Amino acid sequence: MRAFLLVRDDREFLCHPDEELHTDLGVVETPADPEPGQVVETHLGEPFTVRSLRGPDLFDHLERTGAPMMPKDIGVVVGETGAAADDRVLDAGTGTGVLAAYLGRLGADVLTFEAREEFAEVARENMTLAGVEERVEVRAGDVTEELADLGTFDLVTLDTADAPEVVARLHDHLVSGGFVAVYSPFVENARASHEAAVDAGLTGVDTIETIQRAMDFDERGSRPSTRGVGHTGYLTFARKP
């Protein structure tokens, strides 16, 4: 195990093996070879439990260079496209790299483009933290400038302002039956991506909004929460026939 969490109640700390962690409950000498479920104590005798990193933990603990894609949207992308082990994936708009990390942990081989070198470097560090640096290549640059030389992919995922331009060129870069998934924070980009997919001869073109609402349970009864509805953006899917 490389990075892991030490957890207790509502506290959780991102750790690495064989390091010193200072907490409000005392100092922990983290184990050199931690095992999930292992209990370690601070110098004050306060216990913490080792927990391995999973997808939601990555969302919480990867270093952020912007707003990452939400787990609910990632789940829809995986479910709608069937992303799986040994898929070849092209991703553009890496950002924090949460989507690329999820896909890498599924066993896909991911090539992801981030426009800014300093953000790409953070994403590379995040891929190491996620344990997928052998699966995910983070490349700094503009995918539109290199697309012609990249070959074909089982899945293309886009979270960029120029996604419609990329979608328009994807027909020859998808395997037969391959998918494209576009995340758009604004409906104008979603519409342009949708229309570009239709014009490119892709099939099954569909644009959706995923909304997530928490539930409140108390002595009076049960109902959807009156807190924020949970809109994040729009997802457009299409497939090469």
Side-chain angles (χ1 to χ4, degrees):
M1 183 186 294
R2 290 184 285 185
F4 61 95
L5 295 176
L6 283 181
V7 299
R8 172 174 166 167
D9 300 326
D10 60 348
R11 297 175 176 87
E12 60 180 47
F13 298 92
L14 180 66
C15 303
H16 293 84
D18 203 19
E19 68 176 6
E20 189 173 86
L21 172 69
H22 293 256
T23 81
D24 58 326
L25 296 176
V27 179
V28 182
E29 299 289 343
T30 65
D33 189 19
E35 293 290 339
Q38 180 180 352
V39 176
V40 296
E41 292 186 350
T42 72
H43 78 289
L44 299 176
E46 299 289 348
F48 283 82
T49 302
V50 173
R51 189 173 76 197
S52 58
L53 284 166
R54 296 184 64 83
D57 302 312
L58 298 176
F59 178 82
D60 291 334
H61 290 283
L62 292 185
E63 183 176 349
R64 297 190 179 186
T65 53
M69 187 179 288
M70 296 289 289
K72 69 182 180 67
D73 296 315
I74 295 171
V76 174
V77 169
V78 172
E80 290 288 333
T81 66
D86 298 324
D87 277 356
R88 187 167 188 247
V89 179
L90 174 64
D91 175 56
T94 314
T96 299
V98 171
L99 176 60
Y102 265 83
L103 294 173
R105 287 166 71 89
L106 286 175
D109 293 310
V110 184
L111 171 60
T112 182
F113 280 81
E114 170 53 51
R116 299 176 61 173
E117 173 60 46
E118 62 270 30
F119 287 2
E121 185 56 37
V122 172
R124 293 184 191 108
E125 293 171 0
N126 284 340
M127 296 309 102
T128 299
L129 179 64
V132 294
E133 69 274 18
E134 298 298 324
R135 286 282 188 182
V136 180
E137 177 188 350
V138 181
R139 191 176 296 183
D142 185 344
V143 69
T144 63
E145 296 177 359
E146 299 192 39
L147 185 60
D149 301 320
L150 296 179
T152 58
F153 297 87
D154 300 284
L155 171 63
V156 176
T157 57
L158 304 170
D159 182 4
T160 60
D162 63 357
E165 176 187 343
V166 179
V167 171
R169 299 169 55 191
L170 280 183
H171 190 278
D172 293 338
H173 295 283
L174 290 170
V175 302
S176 178
F179 281 90
V180 57
V182 180
Y183 174 81
S184 304
F186 302 108
V187 71
E188 293 85 359
N189 184 275
R191 177 169 182 166
S193 298
H194 187 114
E195 293 172 349
V198 172
D199 292 342
L202 303 180
T203 62
V205 185
D206 192 26
T207 298
I208 63 173
E209 178 185 25
T210 60
I211 295 177
Q212 181 171 290
R213 250 189 339 184
M215 296 291 293
D216 284 340
F217 302 113
D218 58 33
E219 66 279 359
R220 296 174 299 166
S222 309
R223 66 177 184 178
S225 173
T226 56
R227 299 190 298 274
V229 171
H231 163 86
T232 46
Y234 306 92
L235 289 167
T236 298
F237 297 98
R239 191 175 195 181
K240 182 174 178 176

